[in-house]
Amino acid sequence: MAVKINDSEKQFHLYNSKLSYVIGEGPDGGIEQLYFGKRINENQILKGYQTRCGRPLCCPANEEETYSKELGLREYPSFGTGDFRGAAYEICQENGSRVTELVFKSYEVCSGKKKIPGLPASYVNNEDEATTLKLTCFDEVAKVEVVLYYTLFENYPIITRNVSFKNLGKEELKLTKALSCCIDFFDNEYDLVQFEGAWGRERYPKIRAIEKGIMQVESMRGHSSPNFNPFVIIKRKNTDEFQGEAIGINLVYSGNFLARIEAGSFGGFRFTMGINPTWFQWPLGENEEFYTPEVIITYTNDGLNDLSQNIHRFMNNQLVRSPYKNKPRPILLNNWEATEMNFDEEKILKIARKGKEAGVELFVLDDGWFGKRNNDYAGLGDWFVNTDKLPDGISGLSKKINEIGLDFGLWIEPEMVNEDSDLYRAHPDWVLAAPNRKKTLGRHQMVLDYSKPEVVDYIYDMLHKVISTASISYIKWDMNRAITECYSQNVPADRQGMVYHKYIMGVYSLYERLIQEFPNILFESCASGGGRFDAGMLYYAPQAWCSDDTDGHERVKIQYGTSYGYPISSIGAHVSASPNQQTGRTMDIDDRANIACFGTFGYELDLNEVSEEEFERVKKQIEFMKKYRGLFQYGTLYRLQSPFEKNTASWMVVSEDKSLAIVAIYRSLKTPNDELERIKLQGLTENAIYEINHKEMYYGDLLMAQGIGTMEPAENWFESDNDFTSRMFILEQHVTK
Ligand code: GLA
C-alpha cells in the first residue's frame, strides 16, 4: 500500500517512487495540506510544519491566536470562518447561512478505485495498480458529510481527487459550489500554462506569470470549449520541455468548468478547479448525495515532455475504454469536406471505392444523411434516413461499403434540433429555452434539454434503430453550438441551477448506454472540431476530431498544443484538399500527411479529385502509416521545438525499446540563404547506432547532444522547397550483422 498513516499525528502520506502527497488533521480539526511534490521520506512528520500563526487583522481560528486559516495550506477550504480566499465549496442552508466548517472524522484505505456514479473517471485494470484514501469530514450544524477521495497510482506520478457530499440532516441544503480540488502553493514563483484559442485555432499554449490577484480560465458555454481547455499546467519559472518541476491538472469533465488561481498577501497561491460555480445550484435533500468530477493531477520534476508522456500513458491505460484501447486506429476517409451535404449513394460509393484503392480501412458518412438535412437549417433531431439520397437506407449503404472492403462509420449530432424538424414540431418544450424570450440560435439550431431523461431516452431509441439495423463500426458524435438560454422548461425555479450539470450528465448517460449496447463501435467526439476535447469525453470516445481547421501549417500548432494534455492516439487528424478550405493555403500532399500522422490519421477529401501522381503518393502514405501507426499513436512523444517560437517546429516519437524513432520537422516560411540549424533529439539509447532514412549512421549520444541538421542528412532540401514544408526522419537502431 502506498500510503503511510500515522494515527497519532493523523497524518496521511500517499507516495510512490516519484511523488509524495501529505495531508493531515489541521489545528482547526479540518484537513490541512502538508506537502505535495517530489517524493520525500514517508516517515517525515509534518504536523506543524505548514501551520501559520495569526497576523494583525487576521481572524485567528483558535484562542491562542496561533493559527489563522487565511495563512494555512488547506485541503478543501470552506467559506466564512476566516479564510478569505476562494472556498472549494459552499452550502446554503435553509436559514440562509453559508457558513460551514468541516471537521475530520475518519479515514479508510483500500486497494483499487471505485467508479464515480454517472461520471467519467480514471480506473484501475487490477486492484493493485492504485490505492485509494477516503477522508470523511462532517459539518455538525448543516449535518453534511463531505468525503475527500484520493487515488494514488503506483506506476504513474499521478494522483486523482474527487469529493462527495451527503446530506445527513432533515433540512434541504443547496450546494452552490462544489469544486473538485484545492491546492495551496507555499510560494508564487510559478507560471500558469493555459490552453486557449477559438474555433479553428484550439489549444494554443499561453504562459502567464502568477502574480498577486486572481486569474482564471473557465467555460460557461455548456461544453468545455475551444476557448479555454480544462487542462492547465502550473510550472516553476525555469521549467522547460526537458527539465524542471511542473504539475498538470486535467479535469475529467466536459461541461462548464473553472480553474482559478488566487495569489494573496502572504506569498503563495491557491489553485482550485472543478465545475464552474456560476449558475450552479444543486439541492440536496435528506440522504441525497452529490459527486464532483475527478481531477487528474500529474507531477514531474523532469520537464513538460515528461509531464505529457505520463499523462499520455495514463490516459491510454487508465482512462480510455474501448476495444480500440492501445490499438492502432483505423485509417479513415470522411466525406465532409468532399461533399458537405450534397451527396447521393452513387457519389458516396465512388468516393469510398477510391479510398479502398488507396488502402483506406474505414469510410465515414458525415452530416446530411437524415431527415430533411440538405443544409444546416433543417433535419437535426430526425434520426431516420433520407431515402431520396440513400434509397437503401444506412443499412443498405453500410452493406455496400462493407462489400467494397471497408468498415462503415456514421456522423450524428444527437444533442441538437433544428426548428424545421419533426422532433421540434412534436416537442417544442424539449429544447433549452427561457420563458417568453427569444431563443438564441447557433448554426440555426437549438440545444435539446438533456437534463430531462425522457429526451435522452427518445434520442437513444431513434439512434438504436439506425445503429442496430446497419453495419456500423465507428460513430462521429458532433456538437455544433454552445448552450445559451440554459433553462429547462416546466421545471421548478429552484431546480434551474442543476440544468448545466444535468445536461452533461445526460450526454454521459447516452454515451454509456450506446457503448454498453454497441461495445465494438469506435466513438470519435467532435464539437465543431475541438470544442469538447477533454478527459471526460475520452472516457467514452477514445479519439476526438481535433479541429475543423485542417490546414497542415495550422494543424502543427493545434496538435502541438493539444499534445501537452492529451495522447496522440486521441488526436483526430486528417489530410484534406489543397488549397485548404479554412485558410486557402496551398501545401504539398506529403507535407499535409506528415502532420496528420501524428494523430489518428485519415483523409477528408475526394481522392478521385487528386492527380494520378498525388494518388500514388497517397497510397504510399497509407502504407507508411499502416507500418508505423503503432509508433505514432503509442510511442513516447518528445516535443523538440515549438511552432509558437520559431520558424521551424519539431517533434519525435520513440518506441518503447528505443530501437525505432521518427522525427518530424516543419518549416513555416522559406527564408533565403537561411541560417544553419540543428535539432537535438531525445529518448534514444546513447550508445546505440541509428541509421537515418537508410543513409547516415550516428550514435544516439551525438544525436541527442548535437542533434540533426534541419538541412541534413539528405540534400539541401530547404533550399529547394516552398513555404510550409516538412521532413520526416526514420531512425532505426542499427544491428551489426
Ligand atoms: C462540424 C464538424 C465537421 C463536420 C460538420 C458537419 O463542423 O466539426 O467535421 O462534421 O460539423 O456539419
mmCIF file of all heavy atoms in Angstrom, residues 336 341 366-367 373 411 443 476 478 480 526 528-529 545 548 604, ligand 1:
data_model
loop_
_atom_site.group_PDB
_atom_site.id
_atom_site.type_symbol
_atom_site.label_atom_id
_atom_site.label_comp_id
_atom_site.label_asym_id
_atom_site.label_seq_id
_atom_site.Cartn_x
_atom_site.Cartn_y
_atom_site.Cartn_z
ATOM 1 N N TRP A 336 -16.937 14.741 -45.516
ATOM 2 C CA TRP A 336 -17.481 16.069 -45.232
ATOM 3 C C TRP A 336 -16.912 17.155 -46.151
ATOM 4 O O TRP A 336 -17.644 17.841 -46.862
ATOM 5 C CB TRP A 336 -17.284 16.442 -43.758
ATOM 6 C CG TRP A 336 -17.731 17.854 -43.465
ATOM 7 C CD1 TRP A 336 -16.960 18.900 -43.108
ATOM 8 C CD2 TRP A 336 -19.070 18.367 -43.570
ATOM 9 N NE1 TRP A 336 -17.714 20.033 -42.951
ATOM 10 C CE2 TRP A 336 -19.022 19.742 -43.233
ATOM 11 C CE3 TRP A 336 -20.315 17.802 -43.908
ATOM 12 C CZ2 TRP A 336 -20.158 20.547 -43.227
ATOM 13 C CZ3 TRP A 336 -21.444 18.619 -43.895
ATOM 14 C CH2 TRP A 336 -21.360 19.968 -43.565
ATOM 15 N N MET A 341 -23.240 18.397 -47.564
ATOM 16 C CA MET A 341 -24.483 17.599 -47.506
ATOM 17 C C MET A 341 -25.008 17.231 -48.893
ATOM 18 O O MET A 341 -26.092 16.659 -49.033
ATOM 19 C CB MET A 341 -25.555 18.379 -46.748
ATOM 20 C CG MET A 341 -25.140 18.645 -45.318
ATOM 21 S SD MET A 341 -26.372 19.597 -44.463
ATOM 22 C CE MET A 341 -25.394 20.405 -43.223
ATOM 23 N N ASP A 366 -20.569 11.569 -43.237
ATOM 24 C CA ASP A 366 -20.737 12.710 -42.330
ATOM 25 C C ASP A 366 -22.160 13.259 -42.403
ATOM 26 O O ASP A 366 -23.098 12.578 -42.844
ATOM 27 C CB ASP A 366 -19.663 13.774 -42.653
ATOM 28 C CG ASP A 366 -19.232 14.574 -41.432
ATOM 29 O OD1 ASP A 366 -20.001 15.478 -41.045
ATOM 30 O OD2 ASP A 366 -18.154 14.305 -40.874
ATOM 31 N N ASP A 367 -22.328 14.484 -42.016
ATOM 32 C CA ASP A 367 -23.630 15.152 -41.898
ATOM 33 C C ASP A 367 -24.413 15.117 -43.218
ATOM 34 O O ASP A 367 -23.828 15.232 -44.295
ATOM 35 C CB ASP A 367 -23.328 16.617 -41.512
ATOM 36 C CG ASP A 367 -24.543 17.364 -41.044
ATOM 37 O OD1 ASP A 367 -25.638 16.791 -41.078
ATOM 38 O OD2 ASP A 367 -24.374 18.531 -40.640
ATOM 39 N N ARG A 373 -32.271 16.993 -44.206
ATOM 40 C CA ARG A 373 -30.994 17.654 -43.969
ATOM 41 C C ARG A 373 -30.254 17.891 -45.291
ATOM 42 O O ARG A 373 -29.365 17.114 -45.663
ATOM 43 C CB ARG A 373 -30.163 16.760 -43.052
ATOM 44 C CG ARG A 373 -28.859 17.370 -42.568
ATOM 45 C CD ARG A 373 -29.079 18.376 -41.500
ATOM 46 N NE ARG A 373 -27.827 18.759 -40.875
ATOM 47 C CZ ARG A 373 -27.692 19.845 -40.130
ATOM 48 N NH1 ARG A 373 -28.716 20.651 -39.928
ATOM 49 N NH2 ARG A 373 -26.533 20.134 -39.587
ATOM 50 N N TRP A 411 -21.877 9.764 -38.930
ATOM 51 C CA TRP A 411 -21.909 11.019 -38.166
ATOM 52 C C TRP A 411 -23.266 11.198 -37.507
ATOM 53 O O TRP A 411 -24.307 10.951 -38.131
ATOM 54 C CB TRP A 411 -21.654 12.170 -39.142
ATOM 55 C CG TRP A 411 -21.655 13.565 -38.576
ATOM 56 C CD1 TRP A 411 -20.570 14.287 -38.203
ATOM 57 C CD2 TRP A 411 -22.791 14.437 -38.378
ATOM 58 N NE1 TRP A 411 -20.947 15.547 -37.773
ATOM 59 C CE2 TRP A 411 -22.306 15.662 -37.868
ATOM 60 C CE3 TRP A 411 -24.172 14.295 -38.567
ATOM 61 C CZ2 TRP A 411 -23.137 16.738 -37.559
ATOM 62 C CZ3 TRP A 411 -25.007 15.370 -38.244
ATOM 63 C CH2 TRP A 411 -24.486 16.579 -37.746
ATOM 64 N N ARG A 443 -25.630 28.132 -35.392
ATOM 65 C CA ARG A 443 -25.692 27.320 -36.617
ATOM 66 C C ARG A 443 -27.146 26.920 -36.919
ATOM 67 O O ARG A 443 -27.433 25.784 -37.254
ATOM 68 C CB ARG A 443 -24.817 26.075 -36.499
ATOM 69 C CG ARG A 443 -24.342 25.585 -37.843
ATOM 70 C CD ARG A 443 -23.738 24.194 -37.779
ATOM 71 N NE ARG A 443 -23.255 23.826 -39.089
ATOM 72 C CZ ARG A 443 -22.878 22.624 -39.442
ATOM 73 N NH1 ARG A 443 -22.910 21.632 -38.598
ATOM 74 N NH2 ARG A 443 -22.453 22.373 -40.648
ATOM 75 N N LYS A 476 -19.077 9.228 -35.306
ATOM 76 C CA LYS A 476 -18.555 10.565 -35.001
ATOM 77 C C LYS A 476 -19.695 11.346 -34.367
ATOM 78 O O LYS A 476 -20.713 11.595 -35.010
ATOM 79 C CB LYS A 476 -18.088 11.236 -36.301
ATOM 80 C CG LYS A 476 -17.618 12.676 -36.130
ATOM 81 C CD LYS A 476 -17.135 13.224 -37.470
ATOM 82 C CE LYS A 476 -16.824 14.700 -37.439
ATOM 83 N NZ LYS A 476 -16.556 15.228 -38.792
ATOM 84 N N ASP A 478 -21.017 14.643 -32.959
ATOM 85 C CA ASP A 478 -20.714 16.062 -33.088
ATOM 86 C C ASP A 478 -21.560 16.884 -32.115
ATOM 87 O O ASP A 478 -22.560 16.410 -31.556
ATOM 88 C CB ASP A 478 -20.999 16.496 -34.537
ATOM 89 C CG ASP A 478 -20.080 17.614 -34.994
ATOM 90 O OD1 ASP A 478 -19.528 18.322 -34.141
ATOM 91 O OD2 ASP A 478 -19.931 17.777 -36.223
ATOM 92 N N ASN A 480 -22.461 21.082 -32.266
ATOM 93 C CA ASN A 480 -22.049 22.261 -33.019
ATOM 94 C C ASN A 480 -22.546 23.610 -32.512
ATOM 95 O O ASN A 480 -22.598 24.563 -33.276
ATOM 96 C CB ASN A 480 -22.442 22.090 -34.490
ATOM 97 C CG ASN A 480 -21.440 21.205 -35.207
ATOM 98 O OD1 ASN A 480 -20.237 21.389 -35.065
ATOM 99 N ND2 ASN A 480 -21.924 20.223 -35.954
ATOM 100 N N CYS A 526 -16.612 15.207 -31.219
ATOM 101 C CA CYS A 526 -16.354 16.372 -32.057
ATOM 102 C C CYS A 526 -17.280 17.473 -31.566
ATOM 103 O O CYS A 526 -18.398 17.200 -31.135
ATOM 104 C CB CYS A 526 -16.683 16.003 -33.509
ATOM 105 S SG CYS A 526 -16.590 17.384 -34.661
ATOM 106 N N SER A 528 -17.733 21.021 -33.366
ATOM 107 C CA SER A 528 -17.212 21.925 -34.402
ATOM 108 C C SER A 528 -15.694 21.791 -34.413
ATOM 109 O O SER A 528 -14.968 22.781 -34.339
ATOM 110 C CB SER A 528 -17.589 23.371 -34.120
ATOM 111 O OG SER A 528 -18.981 23.507 -34.109
ATOM 112 N N GLY A 529 -15.233 20.571 -34.468
ATOM 113 C CA GLY A 529 -13.796 20.317 -34.309
ATOM 114 C C GLY A 529 -13.497 20.125 -32.835
ATOM 115 O O GLY A 529 -14.155 19.343 -32.155
ATOM 116 N N TRP A 545 -12.148 14.702 -32.836
ATOM 117 C CA TRP A 545 -11.762 15.492 -34.003
ATOM 118 C C TRP A 545 -11.135 16.781 -33.450
ATOM 119 O O TRP A 545 -11.772 17.545 -32.739
ATOM 120 C CB TRP A 545 -12.981 15.749 -34.878
ATOM 121 C CG TRP A 545 -12.754 16.493 -36.147
ATOM 122 C CD1 TRP A 545 -13.551 17.499 -36.632
ATOM 123 C CD2 TRP A 545 -11.723 16.293 -37.123
ATOM 124 N NE1 TRP A 545 -13.071 17.924 -37.836
ATOM 125 C CE2 TRP A 545 -11.938 17.209 -38.162
ATOM 126 C CE3 TRP A 545 -10.622 15.439 -37.210
ATOM 127 C CZ2 TRP A 545 -11.111 17.298 -39.275
ATOM 128 C CZ3 TRP A 545 -9.797 15.521 -38.319
ATOM 129 C CH2 TRP A 545 -10.045 16.442 -39.330
ATOM 130 N N ASP A 548 -11.647 21.776 -36.766
ATOM 131 C CA ASP A 548 -12.186 21.873 -38.128
ATOM 132 C C ASP A 548 -11.150 22.490 -39.056
ATOM 133 O O ASP A 548 -11.332 22.501 -40.274
ATOM 134 C CB ASP A 548 -13.443 22.746 -38.140
ATOM 135 C CG ASP A 548 -14.697 21.920 -37.914
ATOM 136 O OD1 ASP A 548 -14.597 20.689 -37.891
ATOM 137 O OD2 ASP A 548 -15.782 22.525 -37.752
ATOM 138 N N GLU A 604 -9.847 13.597 -45.684
ATOM 139 C CA GLU A 604 -11.064 14.408 -45.612
ATOM 140 C C GLU A 604 -11.209 15.083 -46.975
ATOM 141 O O GLU A 604 -11.214 16.298 -47.087
ATOM 142 C CB GLU A 604 -10.855 15.437 -44.477
ATOM 143 C CG GLU A 604 -12.020 16.278 -44.100
ATOM 144 C CD GLU A 604 -12.809 15.757 -42.897
ATOM 145 O OE1 GLU A 604 -12.350 14.843 -42.207
ATOM 146 O OE2 GLU A 604 -13.907 16.286 -42.698
HETATM 147 C C1 GLA B 1 -18.817 20.159 -37.681
HETATM 148 C C2 GLA B 1 -17.693 19.159 -37.698
HETATM 149 C C3 GLA B 1 -17.307 18.845 -39.113
HETATM 150 C C4 GLA B 1 -18.496 18.301 -39.844
HETATM 151 C C5 GLA B 1 -19.653 19.291 -39.775
HETATM 152 C C6 GLA B 1 -20.914 18.696 -40.331
HETATM 153 O O1 GLA B 1 -18.407 21.395 -38.133
HETATM 154 O O2 GLA B 1 -16.616 19.621 -36.963
HETATM 155 O O3 GLA B 1 -16.257 17.917 -39.147
HETATM 156 O O4 GLA B 1 -18.866 17.066 -39.292
HETATM 157 O O5 GLA B 1 -19.913 19.683 -38.429
HETATM 158 O O6 GLA B 1 -21.974 19.545 -40.227
#
